[in-house]
Amino acid sequence: MTATEELIASAEAHSAHNYHPLPLVVASAQGAWMTDVEGRRYLDMLAGYSALNFGHGNPRLIDAAKKQLDRVTLTSRAFHHDRFAEFCARLAELCGKEMVLPMNTGAEAVETAVKTARKWGYRVKGVPDGRARIVVARDNFHGRTTTVVSFSTDPEARADYGPYTPGFDIVPYGDLAALREAVTDDTVAVLLEPIQGEAGVLVPPPGYLSGVRELTRDRNVLFVADEIQSGLGRTGRTFACEHEGVVPDVYLLGKALGGGVVPVSAVVADTGVLGVFRPGEHGSTFGGNPLACAVGLEVVAMLESGEFQQRATELGDHLHAELNLLVGTGKVTGVRGRGLWAGVDIDPAHGTGREISEKLLDRGVLVKDTHGSTIRIAPPLVISKEDLDWGLDQLRAVLG
Ligand SMILES: *Cc1c(COP(=O)(O)O)cnc(C)c1O
């Protein structure tokens, strides 16, 4: 047995099978490249679902983490620590909002938003107790907790986990008329991904997000944008909502906020929204810990310059121009996305997304399939043009 086979067999024997990873075992990584236990190198064109927007081992982020490791890593929120205020202030400013509520994982940020919206509904909007409803989109992905999967429409994500949390209404994504129908006086929030990542990098029709903004404003409903995957540079802007000039009431952030180093998530909104919490009403042992704040602060500092957004725009234009050339010529039936983020639909006659991912793996390129026949491409924003072109060569060889 090779080292790879041995490690995979051992992982299979001793871990729950809630994932089906591609058959490589990573030992180290730098920038856009990963090296496996056999010494083979792979171009990472998934980037931890955007958690690695700044690449593996980014020197600024590793340096920030190392410095903080030597000072203090955890206090719990029972005490103040000296990295908290600056992280919250700078992140709020990046978002153009007043307040931050830091958590750890994306799903926790979504859970926190559900609580925020409900509490806001009862305390501020005046919804009768127990009646608050939240409108979400079909084919959403907002995480894996029991409440969050309660409003998933993916049978795989949802089956066998009931009883489900009530209070959610599901409408087709991109359909403003359906959304307008679904909003009632008891609606406290509309929760959406501005681009649906897990669903296959689905970009809503032009005018949709601005229509959601207008409708939610008119009906006194919070617009909660889950930018956990789409935000922080991926699409060429700090937030995907910016492409339509839309400012939601609440941003949900995660993934890249932790720089691929530690889990850091946050709910960001104005005082009129996040001000609903009082001591004891919500919390997290690790939320806003010193290490998370130190890394998160460096992420915010990196985004302030706009250089990563610029890279995502330029390299993204190139990526989409090249991918679009494949549409209709070989195995590719469609390409969607924005910035350095693409969903590529494969003609099922030419194999599943998984099979395509395995062929790319053999050529040293790592991508991930989603929903059977789509592969998702999201390299780190630090990828060089040369490496991206090399990756595109491999894609052409497999998909052309
Ligand atoms: C990944 C993701 C989440 C959940 O984040 P976790 O850190 O895995 O809990 C929520 N929303 C979106 C849009 C995501 O992509």
Side-chain angles (χ1 to χ4, degrees), residues 19 49 104-110 141-145 148 193 195-198 226-230 252 254-255 263 265 341 376:
Y19 279 93
Y49 306 97
N104 311 284
T105 65
E108 286 176 305
V110 176
F141 183 83
H142 297 289
R144 300 292 196 168
T145 59
V148 172
E193 299 155 85
I195 293 176
Q196 286 190 325
E198 202 68 22
D226 181 345
E227 293 256 17
I228 289 168
Q229 193 167 158
S230 58
L252 306 186
K255 294 203 164 95
S265 68
W341 199 18
R376 198 174 357 182

Side-chain angles (χ1 to χ4, degrees), residues 106-387:
E108 286 176 305
V110 176
E111 288 273 351
T112 302
V114 168
K115 285 184 172 182
T116 305
R118 287 179 173 181
K119 204 178 254 299
W120 173 88
Y122 300 129
R123 296 273 177 82
V124 180
K125 181 170 173 170
V127 172
D129 191 37
R131 296 242 314 245
R133 302 200 64 84
I134 295 174
V135 182
V136 300
R138 193 180 290 162
D139 299 324
N140 68 72
F141 183 83
H142 297 289
R144 300 292 196 168
T145 59
T146 33
T147 286
V148 172
V149 300
S150 292
F151 55 86
S152 169
T153 59
D154 177 357
E156 248 178 9
R158 204 182 128 84
D160 300 333
Y161 297 136
Y164 301 105
T165 307
F168 299 94
D169 298 301
I170 302 171
V171 296
Y173 188 62
D175 184 342
L176 259 184
L179 182 64
R180 195 170 292 115
E181 278 296 291
V183 170
T184 70
D185 290 345
D186 291 337
T187 305
V188 294
V190 173
L191 165 64
L192 294 171
E193 299 155 85
I195 293 176
Q196 286 190 325
E198 202 68 22
V201 196
L202 297 186
V203 181
Y208 179 63
L209 295 176
S210 47
V212 174
R213 177 64 286 185
E214 208 175 312
L215 175 68
T216 48
R217 190 179 289 125
D218 288 352
R219 300 296 304 267
N220 194 24
V221 166
L222 298 178
F223 181 4
V224 181
D226 181 345
E227 293 256 17
I228 289 168
Q229 193 167 158
S230 58
L232 308 184
R234 174 54 58 192
T235 67
R237 303 284 175 87
T238 306
F239 303 108
C241 282
E242 284 176 56
H243 292 280
E244 281 208 29
V246 162
V247 178
D249 299 297
V250 180
Y251 289 106
L252 306 186
L253 302 175
K255 294 203 164 95
L257 190 57
V261 180
V262 280
V264 187
S265 68
V267 177
V268 188
D270 281 334
T271 312
V273 178
L274 273 177
V276 296
F277 288 107
R278 288 179 300 219
E281 293 177 347
H282 188 55
S284 159
T285 303
F286 289 93
N289 70 72
L291 184 59
C293 289
V295 175
L297 184 56
E298 198 60 30
V299 167
V300 171
M302 288 163 78
L303 288 166
E304 282 167 349
S305 74
E307 67 187 284
F308 294 95
Q309 295 88 326
Q310 183 66 24
R311 266 194 93 69
T313 298
E314 285 167 14
L315 293 175
D317 286 348
H318 180 61
L319 173 74
H320 283 281
E322 293 298 317
L323 288 177
N324 277 317
L325 292 176
L326 290 173
V327 178
T329 59
K331 300 171 185 159
V332 177
T333 55
V335 175
R336 295 170 305 275
R338 260 198 221 285
L340 216 41
W341 199 18
V344 179
D345 291 334
I346 316 290
D347 180 349
H350 290 287
T352 62
R354 174 76 184 194
E355 285 162 350
I356 299 292
S357 302
E358 284 169 356
K359 284 188 183 144
L360 285 164
L361 171 72
D362 291 341
R363 290 178 161 271
V365 169
L366 301 177
V367 297
K368 176 74 174 77
D369 57 298
T370 181
H371 292 274
S373 55
T374 299
I375 57 169
R376 198 174 357 182
I377 297 174
L381 311 183
V382 297
I383 192 173
S384 70
K385 169 88 168 20
E386 293 67 35
D387 288 346

